């Protein structure tokens, strides 16, 4: 997968995209992430990328030319791809795991990170293929939303997570929240690990985990139960 990020603050990215799992995924060639400062595509030597809004009002609007030029430069470089061009903004479709799964199937993603009052509407109408929000709150720019989405998508790419299993059994992927996790010591300040987890009885452990995931989901996110694919085991656990 190739990912391009168009931003005015490229310095925000190396720490997040270069570290840990995302950094290793790039080293291993599982994903290529390019961060582009679209100021270099401005039309003048001052690097002007924003201007006052037609119709008046406060704030500045990002001009269309620099963005169109930056995207066109990318498309010329890889003419064979058909990228999803994703605009990050509070008005976008709310990001969720199923969208991460959908984007993980793509070969090329381009993220447009806005600032100020956002992009000129012609960027939304004639360039972006998607608009995504990471939640109902307003941030200073689209960079953090882009990093959140890149993190959620790249971890789903084949080979990125050591244990394929962990990506798929993640909460939301199974439709339930995660069960509790424990590790050594078995007794920490008198707080003991549930006996079943020390039993080595795999069937009982799996059952306990599924039951705890169901309990936790009922307590914290009953809304998720509506979307759940109920199997007999789950139904039985629910009745218990
Ligand atoms: O604030 C956000 O994007 C930054 C942004 C983009 C364009 C204009 C203003 C602000 C955001 C919140 N949830 N998802 C995205």
């Amino acid at each position: 997968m190739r990912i391009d990020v168009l931003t005015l603050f490229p310095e925000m990215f190396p720490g997040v995209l270069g570290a840990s799992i995302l950094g290793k995924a790039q080293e291993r060639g599982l994903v290529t992430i390019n961060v582009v400062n679209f100021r270099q595509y401005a039309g003048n030597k001052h690097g002007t990328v924003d201007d006052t809004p037609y119709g008046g009002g406060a704030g500045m609007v990002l001009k269309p030319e620099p963005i169109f030029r930056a995207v066109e430069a990318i498309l010329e470089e890889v003419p064979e791809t058909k990228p999803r061009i994703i605009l990050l903004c509070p008005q976008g479709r709310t990001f969720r795991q199923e969208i991460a799964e959908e984007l993980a199937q793509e070969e090329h993603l381009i993220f447009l990170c806005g600032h100020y009052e956002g992009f000129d509407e012609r960027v939304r109408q004639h360039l972006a293929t998607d608009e995504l929000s990471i939640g109902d709150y307003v941030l200073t720019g689209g960079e953090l939303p882009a990093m959140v989405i890149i993190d959620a998508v790249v971890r789903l790419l084949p080979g990125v997570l050591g244990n394929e299993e962990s990506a798929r059994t993640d909460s939301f992927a199974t439709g339930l929240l995660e069960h509790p996790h424990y590790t050594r010591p078995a007794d920490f300040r008198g707080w003991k690990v549930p006996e079943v987890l020390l039993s080595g009885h795999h069937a009982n452990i799996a059952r306990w985990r599924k039951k705890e995931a169901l309990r936790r989901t009922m307590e914290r996110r009953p809304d998720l139960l509506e979307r759940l694919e109920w199997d007999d085991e789950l139904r039985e656990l629910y009745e218990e």
Side-chain angles (χ1 to χ4, degrees):
M1 175 183 281
R2 170 171 172 153
I3 298 176
D4 294 278
V5 184
L6 271 55
T7 173
L8 291 174
F9 303 97
E11 65 275 15
M12 287 180 71
F13 289 86
V16 170
L17 300 186
S20 180
I21 289 179
L22 296 183
K24 282 195 180 48
Q26 290 181 82
E27 282 165 27
R28 293 165 56 206
L30 299 174
V31 64
T32 304
I33 307 179
N34 304 311
V35 179
V36 178
N37 187 339
F38 60 82
R39 191 177 295 283
Q40 72 192 54
Y41 291 93
N44 64 18
K45 63 178 183 304
H46 308 294
T48 308
V49 291
D50 62 337
D51 200 343
T52 53
Y54 277 118
M60 300 291 275
V61 177
L62 288 168
K63 295 168 65 62
E65 301 104 317
I67 302 288
F68 274 80
R69 284 197 200 109
V71 169
E72 281 149 8
I74 293 167
L75 297 183
E76 273 156 36
E77 202 185 318
V78 277
E80 70 285 356
T81 69
K82 270 189 64 51
R84 299 282 285 269
I85 302 177
I86 301 165
L87 198 162
L88 292 314
C89 62
Q91 297 78 19
R93 188 172 157 221
T94 302
F95 183 65
R96 50 185 305 116
Q97 191 64 20
E98 60 199 66
I99 300 177
E101 300 270 2
E102 179 194 317
L103 295 178
Q105 310 303 318
E106 296 287 339
E107 58 175 342
H108 189 186
L109 304 177
I110 300 179
F111 289 93
L112 309 181
C113 303
H115 274 268
Y116 322 122
E117 300 314 305
F119 292 100
D120 178 285
E121 189 62 9
R122 287 157 293 187
V123 171
R124 176 177 273 122
Q125 287 171 340
H126 304 294
L127 192 62
T129 59
D130 301 79
E131 291 177 57
L132 290 180
S133 159
I134 58 168
D136 292 337
Y137 38 81
V138 183
L139 303 168
T140 56
E143 284 77 10
L144 288 173
M147 286 184 241
V148 163
I149 294 170
I150 289 168
D151 186 296
V153 169
V154 170
R155 67 184 289 279
L156 294 176
L157 298 180
V160 170
L161 286 186
N163 168 2
E164 291 290 334
E165 177 67 6
S166 61
R168 295 295 158 206
T169 55
D170 265 357
S171 59
F172 295 105
T174 61
L176 291 172
L177 297 182
E178 290 255 298
H179 57 70
H181 297 281
Y182 292 88
T183 187
R184 278 180 282 275
D187 180 338
F188 173 63
R189 299 185 183 177
W191 305 318
K192 293 181 175 48
V193 172
E195 275 305 316
V196 65
L197 297 179
L198 310 176
S199 70
H201 194 303
H202 299 294
N204 289 355
I205 291 169
R207 185 177 170 76
W208 180 87
R209 284 176 168 169
K210 204 160 188 180
K211 183 167 178 152
E212 287 305 310
L214 183 55
R215 180 206 311 276
R216 184 165 282 192
T217 308
M218 285 162 63
E219 285 163 3
R220 299 182 187 199
R221 291 293 305 277
D223 59 297
L224 291 178
L225 294 179
E226 281 136 42
R227 323 160 63 96
L228 194 63
E229 268 133 54
W230 289 83
D231 58 29
D232 294 346
E233 189 187 14
L234 265 180
R235 217 181 301 283
E236 191 191 317
L237 290 169
Y238 186 80
E239 308 304 338
E240 262 180 22

